[in-house]
Amino acid sequence: MRRRADPCRSALVHPRPAVAVHQDVVRRAVDEICANPSIEVGGKFVGYVSGELVPNARDWRRQFRRTTISIVGYLDVGPRAHRSAVRHLSDTDYQFALFQRLLAEFPALEFVGIWHSHHPNGLSQLSCGDVDTGLRTVNSPGHDLPFLLSSLAVDSSGLMSGRHYAF
């Protein structure tokens, strides 16, 4: 019997860009996970993208592999976030306002992705809800980049032992 492809995974891009995560981001994520052992935590990645990546180009896979994403920070979830052991919803109005303030000081800064943890529930991959969120975000008219990075921390080691996906 042939196995069917998982519809939640079919939206994910397999060619991988180079991803550099600043040590402060890694440390901050670990601190957040350790401080909240029973709820999912996360945030929105901000950083810089280098390399030419033209949406819908015939050679987009090659272009994407030659892209470097430098994550220099993340926006915390905000005061109206909803989080539990199986759910993570950020306060997007707060994060948008915070990002706009950062853009005033760093105009080349990009919203490059999202991260969250599954450390309290043991899931080692993105859920279907996570995939839906990634697809909605990357296809949103307000999203400037032709991709969205989505990182999943699965234990108290944080982002470095987790998985990174691209939409």
Side-chain angles (χ1 to χ4, degrees):
M1 177 190 291
R2 273 178 38 173
R3 289 178 46 180
R4 289 187 169 177
D6 184 343
C8 294
R9 308 288 173 250
S10 63
L12 302 174
V13 172
H14 297 287
R16 294 198 172 106
V19 178
V21 184
H22 193 279
Q23 285 182 332
D24 290 343
V25 175
V26 172
R27 184 175 43 252
R28 198 171 148 213
V30 168
D31 290 349
E32 184 78 10
I33 289 167
C34 291
N36 297 282
S38 62
I39 61 171
E40 290 187 5
V41 296
K44 297 212 176 0
F45 285 138
V46 294
Y48 302 97
V49 178
S50 61
E52 184 177 342
L53 185 57
V54 178
N56 301 318
R58 293 177 85 168
D59 65 341
W60 71 267
R61 286 178 176 85
R62 181 182 56 78
Q63 290 177 10
F64 199 51
R65 281 191 302 270
R66 293 181 177 175
T67 298
T68 300
I69 303 167
S70 300
I71 299 168
V72 298
Y74 77 81
L75 310 176
D76 64 81
V77 293
R80 292 189 307 246
H82 297 284
R83 303 183 296 176
S84 73
V86 295
R87 190 172 203 191
H88 176 88
L89 296 173
S90 295
D91 180 347
T92 55
D93 291 336
Y94 165 85
Q95 289 175 323
F96 181 77
L98 180 57
F99 184 61
Q100 294 306 307
R101 287 195 304 270
L102 286 171
L103 279 179
E105 191 170 345
F106 306 99
L109 195 66
E110 299 273 5
F111 162 53
V112 296
I114 54 182
W115 82 273
H116 76 288
S117 68
H118 279 176
H119 71 282
N121 59 41
L123 295 175
S124 63
Q125 295 183 345
L126 295 178
S127 69
C128 284
D130 298 334
V131 172
D132 288 343
T133 296
L135 288 172
R136 266 195 328 276
T137 303
V138 76
N139 291 312
S140 166
H143 187 70
D144 294 332
L145 296 173
F147 68 89
L148 176 77
L149 185 67
S150 181
S151 298
L152 179 64
V154 294
D155 58 31
S156 61
S157 299
L159 297 170
M160 299 317 289
S161 67
R163 296 184 175 192
H164 307 281
Y165 303 87
F167 292 91

